[in-house]
Amino acid sequence: MCRNIKTLFNFEPPASELEIRDASLQFVRKLSGFNVPSKANEAAFDRAVAEVAESARRLIQSLVTNAEPKNREVEAMKARERSAQRFAGGPRG
């Protein structure tokens, strides 16, 4: 799947509307193959982003867990560390 789509459930503070929309936009871009749709496809593209965002919002609000919410800053730091380790080896070939 798309690496730019981030997990949005069980964070403190909860996912913002902007984060949900951004994830929905990335999902629709991946499905459609368009970064920016043509004028002919713009309405369908925008409608799909709105529908995916609404579904994502409902999903996130309906999920339950006993786990403690994750801290966004700590998770971002872990991701940066994983990225540094992943790319520390230099070019592969």
Side-chain angles (χ1 to χ4, degrees):
M1 189 37 111
C2 187
R3 292 179 192 208
N4 293 331
I5 299 176
K6 308 285 188 253
T7 300
L8 299 178
F9 175 62
N10 197 30
F11 277 94
E12 190 58 44
S16 69
E17 286 298 312
L18 181 59
E19 289 173 308
I20 292 171
R21 188 203 175 278
D22 286 349
S24 301
L25 177 61
Q26 287 296 327
F27 183 73
V28 172
R29 283 177 173 168
K30 185 71 168 183
L31 289 178
S32 68
F34 299 127
N35 249 355
V36 178
S38 66
K39 289 289 183 193
N41 292 318
E42 189 173 30
F45 188 91
D46 291 343
R47 185 174 48 252
V49 171
E51 290 172 359
V52 170
E54 178 58 31
S55 293
R57 194 175 304 106
R58 279 195 315 268
L59 172 65
I60 291 167
Q61 291 171 350
S62 66
L63 294 173
V64 295
T65 183
N66 292 327
E68 289 293 318
K70 297 174 212 149
N71 180 294
R72 290 180 183 283
E73 293 173 14
V74 170
E75 295 301 315
M77 185 176 59
K78 288 180 186 176
R80 284 190 295 273
E81 289 172 359
R82 284 191 303 271
S83 180
Q85 288 178 353
R86 181 174 177 206
F87 296 108
R92 296 179 192 167

